[in-house]
Short mmCIF file of all heavy atoms in Angstrom, two decimals:
data_model
loop_
_atom_site.label_atom_id
_atom_site.label_comp_id
_atom_site.label_asym_id
_atom_site.label_seq_id
_atom_site.Cartn_x
_atom_site.Cartn_y
_atom_site.Cartn_z
N ALA A 422 17.56 3.62 8.10
CA ALA A 422 16.69 4.01 9.25
C ALA A 422 16.87 5.47 9.59
O ALA A 422 15.88 6.22 9.82
CB ALA A 422 16.98 3.18 10.46
N LEU A 423 18.10 6.02 9.50
CA LEU A 423 18.37 7.44 9.74
C LEU A 423 17.63 8.24 8.70
O LEU A 423 17.02 9.27 8.97
CB LEU A 423 19.85 7.68 9.79
CG LEU A 423 20.24 9.16 9.93
CD1 LEU A 423 19.77 9.76 11.25
CD2 LEU A 423 21.78 9.34 9.87
N ALA A 424 17.75 7.84 7.47
CA ALA A 424 17.05 8.59 6.35
C ALA A 424 15.55 8.58 6.58
O ALA A 424 14.90 9.56 6.40
CB ALA A 424 17.42 7.92 5.04
N GLY A 425 15.01 7.41 7.08
CA GLY A 425 13.55 7.31 7.37
C GLY A 425 13.21 8.32 8.51
O GLY A 425 12.13 8.94 8.43
N ILE A 426 14.02 8.35 9.50
CA ILE A 426 13.71 9.27 10.64
C ILE A 426 13.74 10.71 10.18
O ILE A 426 12.88 11.52 10.49
CB ILE A 426 14.72 9.08 11.82
CG1 ILE A 426 14.49 7.69 12.46
CG2 ILE A 426 14.64 10.20 12.78
CD1 ILE A 426 15.52 7.21 13.43
N LEU A 427 14.80 11.04 9.34
CA LEU A 427 14.85 12.46 8.84
C LEU A 427 13.70 12.76 7.95
O LEU A 427 13.14 13.89 7.99
CB LEU A 427 16.19 12.64 8.15
CG LEU A 427 17.40 12.59 9.06
CD1 LEU A 427 18.68 12.71 8.17
CD2 LEU A 427 17.37 13.68 10.03
N CYS A 428 13.27 11.83 7.12
CA CYS A 428 12.14 12.01 6.24
C CYS A 428 10.82 12.14 7.08
O CYS A 428 9.95 12.96 6.76
CB CYS A 428 11.94 10.90 5.22
SG CYS A 428 13.17 10.92 3.96
N GLY A 429 10.74 11.36 8.15
CA GLY A 429 9.55 11.40 8.98
C GLY A 429 9.42 12.64 9.81
O GLY A 429 8.29 13.06 10.13
N ILE A 430 10.50 13.31 10.09
CA ILE A 430 10.45 14.53 10.83
C ILE A 430 9.83 15.67 10.05
O ILE A 430 9.07 16.45 10.56
CB ILE A 430 11.89 14.91 11.33
CG1 ILE A 430 12.35 14.01 12.40
CG2 ILE A 430 11.87 16.39 11.83
CD1 ILE A 430 13.78 14.15 12.81
N THR A 431 10.04 15.67 8.73
CA THR A 431 9.50 16.70 7.84
C THR A 431 8.21 16.31 7.32
O THR A 431 7.94 15.10 7.10
CB THR A 431 10.49 17.02 6.69
OG1 THR A 431 10.52 15.87 5.89
CG2 THR A 431 11.90 17.33 7.24
N VAL A 432 7.35 17.27 7.03
CA VAL A 432 6.07 16.94 6.44
C VAL A 432 6.28 16.58 4.96
O VAL A 432 5.64 15.66 4.44
CB VAL A 432 5.12 18.15 6.55
CG1 VAL A 432 3.89 17.95 5.80
CG2 VAL A 432 4.85 18.48 8.01
N VAL A 433 7.23 17.23 4.33
CA VAL A 433 7.47 16.96 2.90
C VAL A 433 8.10 15.55 2.74
O VAL A 433 7.79 14.92 1.67
CB VAL A 433 8.48 18.05 2.37
CG1 VAL A 433 8.81 17.73 0.92
CG2 VAL A 433 7.86 19.43 2.47
N GLY A 434 8.83 15.06 3.62
CA GLY A 434 9.43 13.73 3.48
C GLY A 434 8.64 12.58 3.89
O GLY A 434 9.06 11.45 3.77
N LEU A 435 7.40 12.77 4.39
CA LEU A 435 6.61 11.68 4.88
C LEU A 435 6.38 10.53 3.81
O LEU A 435 6.32 9.43 4.18
CB LEU A 435 5.27 12.17 5.41
CG LEU A 435 5.36 12.68 6.84
CD1 LEU A 435 4.03 13.25 7.27
CD2 LEU A 435 5.77 11.66 7.85
N PRO A 436 6.15 10.95 2.56
CA PRO A 436 5.98 9.86 1.58
C PRO A 436 7.17 8.85 1.46
O PRO A 436 6.96 7.77 1.05
CB PRO A 436 5.78 10.59 0.22
CG PRO A 436 5.24 11.92 0.67
CD PRO A 436 5.94 12.25 1.96
N TRP A 437 8.36 9.36 1.71
CA TRP A 437 9.52 8.49 1.60
C TRP A 437 9.89 7.80 2.89
O TRP A 437 10.63 6.81 2.89
CB TRP A 437 10.72 9.39 1.19
CG TRP A 437 10.64 9.94 -0.16
CD1 TRP A 437 10.96 9.25 -1.31
CD2 TRP A 437 10.19 11.22 -0.52
NE1 TRP A 437 10.75 10.11 -2.37
CE2 TRP A 437 10.26 11.28 -1.94
CE3 TRP A 437 9.75 12.32 0.16
CZ2 TRP A 437 9.91 12.43 -2.63
CZ3 TRP A 437 9.38 13.41 -0.50
CH2 TRP A 437 9.47 13.54 -1.96
N ALA A 438 9.35 8.20 4.04
CA ALA A 438 9.71 7.65 5.28
C ALA A 438 9.37 6.15 5.40
O ALA A 438 10.23 5.36 5.81
CB ALA A 438 9.06 8.43 6.51
N ARG A 439 8.23 5.75 5.03
CA ARG A 439 7.88 4.33 5.12
C ARG A 439 8.74 3.48 4.22
O ARG A 439 9.18 2.46 4.61
CB ARG A 439 6.39 4.16 4.74
CG ARG A 439 6.01 2.66 4.87
CD ARG A 439 4.52 2.44 4.49
NE ARG A 439 4.13 1.02 4.58
CZ ARG A 439 4.35 0.13 3.65
NH1 ARG A 439 4.95 0.51 2.52
NH2 ARG A 439 3.98 -1.10 3.82
N SER A 440 9.02 3.90 3.03
CA SER A 440 9.95 3.24 2.10
C SER A 440 11.31 3.11 2.65
O SER A 440 11.93 2.05 2.56
CB SER A 440 9.98 3.99 0.74
OG SER A 440 8.74 4.04 0.13
N CYS A 441 11.79 4.08 3.36
CA CYS A 441 13.10 4.00 4.00
C CYS A 441 13.14 2.90 5.03
O CYS A 441 14.13 2.16 5.12
CB CYS A 441 13.44 5.37 4.65
SG CYS A 441 13.88 6.69 3.51
N PHE A 442 12.13 2.79 5.83
CA PHE A 442 12.10 1.76 6.89
C PHE A 442 11.95 0.34 6.26
O PHE A 442 12.52 -0.62 6.72
CB PHE A 442 11.02 2.02 7.94
CG PHE A 442 11.31 3.21 8.77
CD1 PHE A 442 10.52 4.29 8.74
CD2 PHE A 442 12.46 3.26 9.57
CE1 PHE A 442 10.78 5.45 9.54
CE2 PHE A 442 12.78 4.36 10.35
CZ PHE A 442 11.89 5.48 10.32
N VAL A 443 11.18 0.24 5.13
CA VAL A 443 11.04 -1.13 4.46
C VAL A 443 12.43 -1.45 3.85
O VAL A 443 12.88 -2.62 4.02
CB VAL A 443 9.97 -1.00 3.35
CG1 VAL A 443 10.05 -2.17 2.46
CG2 VAL A 443 8.60 -0.86 3.95
N LEU A 444 13.08 -0.51 3.30
CA LEU A 444 14.40 -0.77 2.68
C LEU A 444 15.49 -0.97 3.79
O LEU A 444 16.45 -1.62 3.55
CB LEU A 444 14.78 0.29 1.66
CG LEU A 444 13.91 0.22 0.43
CD1 LEU A 444 14.10 1.46 -0.41
CD2 LEU A 444 14.18 -1.07 -0.34
N ALA A 445 15.26 -0.35 4.97
CA ALA A 445 16.24 -0.56 6.06
C ALA A 445 16.14 -1.98 6.50
O ALA A 445 17.16 -2.63 6.71
CB ALA A 445 15.89 0.32 7.16
N ARG A 446 14.93 -2.52 6.62
CA ARG A 446 14.81 -3.97 6.93
C ARG A 446 15.37 -4.85 5.88
O ARG A 446 16.06 -5.81 6.16
CB ARG A 446 13.26 -4.28 7.20
CG ARG A 446 13.11 -5.57 7.87
CD ARG A 446 11.68 -5.91 8.19
NE ARG A 446 11.35 -7.07 7.37
CZ ARG A 446 10.58 -7.14 6.25
NH1 ARG A 446 10.04 -6.02 5.85
NH2 ARG A 446 10.36 -8.17 5.64
N PHE A 447 15.16 -4.52 4.59
CA PHE A 447 15.72 -5.27 3.49
C PHE A 447 17.22 -5.16 3.48
O PHE A 447 17.90 -6.18 3.19
CB PHE A 447 15.10 -4.75 2.17
CG PHE A 447 15.61 -5.47 0.96
CD1 PHE A 447 15.54 -6.84 0.81
CD2 PHE A 447 16.13 -4.74 -0.07
CE1 PHE A 447 16.00 -7.48 -0.32
CE2 PHE A 447 16.63 -5.34 -1.20
CZ PHE A 447 16.59 -6.72 -1.34
N SER A 448 17.75 -4.06 3.86
CA SER A 448 19.22 -3.84 3.85
C SER A 448 19.85 -4.69 5.05
O SER A 448 20.98 -5.07 4.97
CB SER A 448 19.55 -2.41 4.02
OG SER A 448 20.90 -2.15 3.97
N LEU A 449 19.06 -4.85 6.10
CA LEU A 449 19.59 -5.67 7.26
C LEU A 449 19.56 -7.09 6.91
O LEU A 449 20.50 -7.92 7.32
CB LEU A 449 18.73 -5.41 8.46
CG LEU A 449 19.00 -4.08 9.18
CD1 LEU A 449 17.99 -3.89 10.28
CD2 LEU A 449 20.35 -4.00 9.74
N TRP A 450 18.57 -7.60 6.28
CA TRP A 450 18.35 -9.11 6.01
C TRP A 450 17.98 -9.34 4.54
O TRP A 450 16.75 -9.67 4.28
CB TRP A 450 17.30 -9.69 6.90
CG TRP A 450 17.48 -9.36 8.38
CD1 TRP A 450 16.81 -8.55 9.12
CD2 TRP A 450 18.53 -9.96 9.16
NE1 TRP A 450 17.38 -8.46 10.39
CE2 TRP A 450 18.42 -9.39 10.51
CE3 TRP A 450 19.54 -10.94 9.04
CZ2 TRP A 450 19.19 -9.69 11.53
CZ3 TRP A 450 20.33 -11.24 10.11
CH2 TRP A 450 20.17 -10.66 11.33
N PRO A 451 18.82 -9.16 3.55
CA PRO A 451 18.38 -9.18 2.12
C PRO A 451 18.18 -10.64 1.55
O PRO A 451 17.49 -10.75 0.55
CB PRO A 451 19.52 -8.45 1.42
CG PRO A 451 20.71 -8.79 2.25
CD PRO A 451 20.19 -8.74 3.70
N PHE A 452 18.90 -11.57 2.09
CA PHE A 452 18.76 -12.86 1.49
C PHE A 452 17.46 -13.56 1.79
O PHE A 452 16.98 -13.63 2.87
CB PHE A 452 19.92 -13.77 1.97
CG PHE A 452 21.27 -13.28 1.48
CD1 PHE A 452 22.10 -12.51 2.23
CD2 PHE A 452 21.71 -13.51 0.16
CE1 PHE A 452 23.29 -11.95 1.87
CE2 PHE A 452 22.98 -12.97 -0.31
CZ PHE A 452 23.68 -12.24 0.53
N GLY A 453 16.86 -14.10 0.68
CA GLY A 453 15.49 -14.59 0.78
C GLY A 453 14.43 -13.61 0.42
O GLY A 453 13.22 -13.94 0.38
N GLN A 454 14.80 -12.41 0.01
CA GLN A 454 13.95 -11.39 -0.46
C GLN A 454 14.46 -10.73 -1.65
O GLN A 454 15.69 -10.86 -1.96
CB GLN A 454 13.73 -10.33 0.65
CG GLN A 454 13.26 -10.83 1.98
CD GLN A 454 13.15 -9.70 2.96
OE1 GLN A 454 12.33 -8.83 2.78
NE2 GLN A 454 14.01 -9.68 3.98
N GLU A 455 13.61 -9.97 -2.42
CA GLU A 455 14.04 -9.21 -3.51
C GLU A 455 13.24 -7.99 -3.72
O GLU A 455 12.06 -7.92 -3.27
CB GLU A 455 14.01 -10.10 -4.80
CG GLU A 455 12.66 -10.54 -5.22
CD GLU A 455 12.68 -11.40 -6.45
OE1 GLU A 455 13.71 -11.33 -7.28
OE2 GLU A 455 11.80 -12.14 -6.66
N ALA A 456 13.80 -6.93 -4.28
CA ALA A 456 13.09 -5.67 -4.47
C ALA A 456 12.65 -5.73 -5.96
O ALA A 456 13.41 -6.04 -6.87
CB ALA A 456 13.96 -4.49 -4.26
N VAL A 457 11.32 -5.44 -6.15
CA VAL A 457 10.78 -5.49 -7.52
C VAL A 457 9.84 -4.18 -7.69
O VAL A 457 9.39 -3.62 -6.65
CB VAL A 457 9.87 -6.67 -7.77
CG1 VAL A 457 10.72 -7.95 -7.75
CG2 VAL A 457 8.71 -6.81 -6.80
N SER A 458 9.65 -3.83 -8.91
CA SER A 458 8.84 -2.75 -9.25
C SER A 458 7.33 -3.11 -8.93
O SER A 458 6.89 -4.22 -9.25
CB SER A 458 8.92 -2.32 -10.66
OG SER A 458 8.00 -1.44 -11.06
N ARG A 459 6.62 -2.17 -8.32
CA ARG A 459 5.18 -2.43 -8.03
C ARG A 459 4.41 -2.61 -9.30
O ARG A 459 3.47 -3.40 -9.37
CB ARG A 459 4.58 -1.35 -7.21
CG ARG A 459 5.00 -1.43 -5.72
CD ARG A 459 4.18 -0.54 -4.81
NE ARG A 459 3.88 0.78 -5.28
CZ ARG A 459 4.55 1.83 -4.98
NH1 ARG A 459 5.62 1.72 -4.18
NH2 ARG A 459 4.17 3.02 -5.40
N ARG A 460 4.82 -1.92 -10.35
CA ARG A 460 4.15 -2.04 -11.63
C ARG A 460 4.30 -3.47 -12.27
O ARG A 460 3.40 -4.08 -12.68
CB ARG A 460 4.68 -1.05 -12.64
CG ARG A 460 4.01 -1.14 -14.09
CD ARG A 460 4.54 -0.17 -14.97
NE ARG A 460 4.08 1.21 -14.51
CZ ARG A 460 4.35 2.33 -15.11
NH1 ARG A 460 5.00 2.29 -16.21
NH2 ARG A 460 3.92 3.45 -14.62
N GLU A 461 5.49 -4.02 -12.11
CA GLU A 461 5.72 -5.43 -12.58
C GLU A 461 5.00 -6.42 -11.64
O GLU A 461 4.44 -7.37 -12.12
CB GLU A 461 7.20 -5.71 -12.57
CG GLU A 461 7.99 -5.03 -13.62
CD GLU A 461 9.44 -5.26 -13.53
OE1 GLU A 461 9.87 -6.20 -12.84
OE2 GLU A 461 10.23 -4.53 -14.12
N LEU A 462 4.91 -6.10 -10.38
CA LEU A 462 4.24 -7.04 -9.42
C LEU A 462 2.78 -7.09 -9.63
O LEU A 462 2.16 -8.11 -9.61
CB LEU A 462 4.66 -6.63 -7.97
CG LEU A 462 4.16 -7.57 -6.91
CD1 LEU A 462 4.81 -8.91 -6.98
CD2 LEU A 462 4.43 -6.89 -5.56
N THR A 463 2.18 -5.92 -9.71
CA THR A 463 0.68 -5.83 -9.75
C THR A 463 0.12 -5.83 -11.16
O THR A 463 -1.02 -6.08 -11.39
CB THR A 463 0.15 -4.62 -9.02
OG1 THR A 463 0.67 -3.38 -9.61
CG2 THR A 463 0.56 -4.67 -7.51
N GLY A 464 0.94 -5.41 -12.14
CA GLY A 464 0.51 -5.31 -13.50
C GLY A 464 -0.25 -3.99 -13.78
O GLY A 464 -0.82 -3.83 -14.90
N ARG A 465 -0.24 -3.09 -12.88
CA ARG A 465 -0.87 -1.76 -13.15
C ARG A 465 -0.07 -0.63 -12.47
O ARG A 465 0.66 -0.88 -11.53
CB ARG A 465 -2.34 -1.83 -12.60
CG ARG A 465 -2.45 -2.00 -11.11
CD ARG A 465 -3.87 -1.93 -10.66
NE ARG A 465 -4.03 -1.70 -9.25
CZ ARG A 465 -4.13 -2.70 -8.31
NH1 ARG A 465 -4.16 -3.88 -8.70
NH2 ARG A 465 -4.17 -2.33 -7.08
N ALA A 466 -0.29 0.57 -12.97
CA ALA A 466 0.46 1.80 -12.46
C ALA A 466 -0.29 2.26 -11.19
O ALA A 466 -1.39 2.08 -10.99
CB ALA A 466 0.44 2.81 -13.56
N ASP A 467 0.53 2.99 -10.40
CA ASP A 467 -0.02 3.71 -9.26
C ASP A 467 0.75 4.97 -9.11
O ASP A 467 1.53 5.35 -10.00
CB ASP A 467 0.02 2.81 -7.94
CG ASP A 467 1.43 2.41 -7.59
OD1 ASP A 467 2.41 3.08 -7.97
OD2 ASP A 467 1.60 1.39 -6.88
N LEU A 468 0.48 5.72 -8.05
CA LEU A 468 1.22 7.03 -7.89
C LEU A 468 2.62 6.94 -7.93
O LEU A 468 3.40 7.80 -8.50
CB LEU A 468 0.74 7.71 -6.59
CG LEU A 468 -0.62 8.36 -6.56
CD1 LEU A 468 -0.99 8.86 -5.22
CD2 LEU A 468 -0.80 9.41 -7.67
N GLY A 469 3.24 5.90 -7.35
CA GLY A 469 4.72 5.80 -7.25
C GLY A 469 5.37 5.22 -8.50
O GLY A 469 6.55 5.40 -8.69
N THR A 470 4.58 4.72 -9.42
CA THR A 470 5.20 4.16 -10.68
C THR A 470 4.89 5.04 -11.85
O THR A 470 5.31 4.68 -13.00
CB THR A 470 4.61 2.76 -10.96
OG1 THR A 470 3.22 2.77 -11.09
CG2 THR A 470 5.07 1.81 -9.85
N GLY A 471 4.15 6.15 -11.68
CA GLY A 471 3.82 7.04 -12.78
C GLY A 471 4.69 8.28 -12.77
O GLY A 471 5.76 8.24 -12.27
N PRO A 472 4.22 9.35 -13.35
CA PRO A 472 5.00 10.65 -13.39
C PRO A 472 5.31 11.16 -12.00
O PRO A 472 6.40 11.70 -11.83
CB PRO A 472 4.01 11.60 -14.13
CG PRO A 472 3.06 10.71 -14.92
CD PRO A 472 2.91 9.49 -14.09
N LEU A 473 4.42 11.03 -11.06
CA LEU A 473 4.73 11.50 -9.74
C LEU A 473 5.90 10.72 -9.09
O LEU A 473 6.71 11.20 -8.32
CB LEU A 473 3.53 11.44 -8.77
CG LEU A 473 2.49 12.54 -9.01
CD1 LEU A 473 1.31 12.30 -8.12
CD2 LEU A 473 3.11 13.93 -8.77
N GLY A 474 6.03 9.44 -9.45
CA GLY A 474 7.08 8.59 -8.95
C GLY A 474 8.37 9.00 -9.52
O GLY A 474 9.44 8.99 -8.84
N LEU A 475 8.37 9.50 -10.79
CA LEU A 475 9.58 10.02 -11.40
C LEU A 475 10.07 11.24 -10.70
O LEU A 475 11.31 11.37 -10.42
CB LEU A 475 9.37 10.30 -12.88
CG LEU A 475 10.49 10.79 -13.73
CD1 LEU A 475 11.57 9.77 -13.75
CD2 LEU A 475 10.08 11.15 -15.06
N VAL A 476 9.12 12.13 -10.38
CA VAL A 476 9.44 13.42 -9.64
C VAL A 476 9.99 13.04 -8.23
O VAL A 476 10.91 13.54 -7.83
CB VAL A 476 8.23 14.36 -9.56
CG1 VAL A 476 8.51 15.47 -8.64
CG2 VAL A 476 7.90 14.86 -10.96
N GLY A 477 9.26 12.03 -7.61
CA GLY A 477 9.74 11.58 -6.27
C GLY A 477 11.07 11.02 -6.31
O GLY A 477 11.92 11.30 -5.36
N ASN A 478 11.46 10.23 -7.25
CA ASN A 478 12.75 9.64 -7.38
C ASN A 478 13.81 10.73 -7.64
O ASN A 478 14.89 10.58 -7.16
CB ASN A 478 12.82 8.58 -8.48
CG ASN A 478 12.38 7.23 -8.01
OD1 ASN A 478 12.62 6.87 -6.85
ND2 ASN A 478 11.74 6.49 -8.86
N GLY A 479 13.48 11.77 -8.41
CA GLY A 479 14.40 12.85 -8.67
C GLY A 479 14.69 13.58 -7.39
O GLY A 479 15.86 13.89 -7.09
N LEU A 480 13.67 13.93 -6.60
CA LEU A 480 13.85 14.55 -5.30
C LEU A 480 14.66 13.67 -4.36
O LEU A 480 15.56 14.18 -3.70
CB LEU A 480 12.55 14.95 -4.70
CG LEU A 480 11.83 16.12 -5.34
CD1 LEU A 480 10.40 16.24 -4.79
CD2 LEU A 480 12.59 17.41 -5.19
N TRP A 481 14.31 12.39 -4.33
CA TRP A 481 15.04 11.49 -3.42
C TRP A 481 16.49 11.43 -3.80
O TRP A 481 17.35 11.45 -2.89
CB TRP A 481 14.40 10.07 -3.54
CG TRP A 481 15.20 9.03 -2.85
CD1 TRP A 481 16.11 8.19 -3.40
CD2 TRP A 481 15.28 8.84 -1.44
NE1 TRP A 481 16.66 7.48 -2.39
CE2 TRP A 481 16.21 7.85 -1.14
CE3 TRP A 481 14.60 9.37 -0.34
CZ2 TRP A 481 16.48 7.31 0.08
CZ3 TRP A 481 14.85 8.90 0.91
CH2 TRP A 481 15.79 7.91 1.11
N PHE A 482 16.85 11.26 -5.10
CA PHE A 482 18.16 11.28 -5.50
C PHE A 482 19.02 12.49 -5.04
O PHE A 482 20.12 12.32 -4.53
CB PHE A 482 18.27 11.15 -7.03
CG PHE A 482 19.72 11.15 -7.55
CD1 PHE A 482 20.49 10.04 -7.48
CD2 PHE A 482 20.26 12.31 -8.04
CE1 PHE A 482 21.81 9.99 -7.99
CE2 PHE A 482 21.58 12.37 -8.56
CZ PHE A 482 22.31 11.19 -8.54
#
Side-chain angles (χ1 to χ4, degrees):
L423 176 62
I426 290 168
L427 293 175
C428 287
I430 289 172
T431 67
V432 174
V433 176
L435 280 174
W437 291 278
R439 182 179 179 277
S440 296
C441 287
F442 291 117
V443 168
L444 291 169
R446 194 178 116 253
F447 180 55
S448 186
L449 285 172
W450 309 105
F452 293 98
Q454 303 178 66
E455 62 183 338
V457 296
S458 168
R459 285 195 315 265
R460 181 178 292 181
E461 292 175 16
L462 185 66
T463 63
R465 62 178 199 266
D467 60 24
L468 284 175
T470 59
L473 284 176
L475 182 64
V476 171
N478 275 327
L480 288 171
W481 171 260
F482 176 80

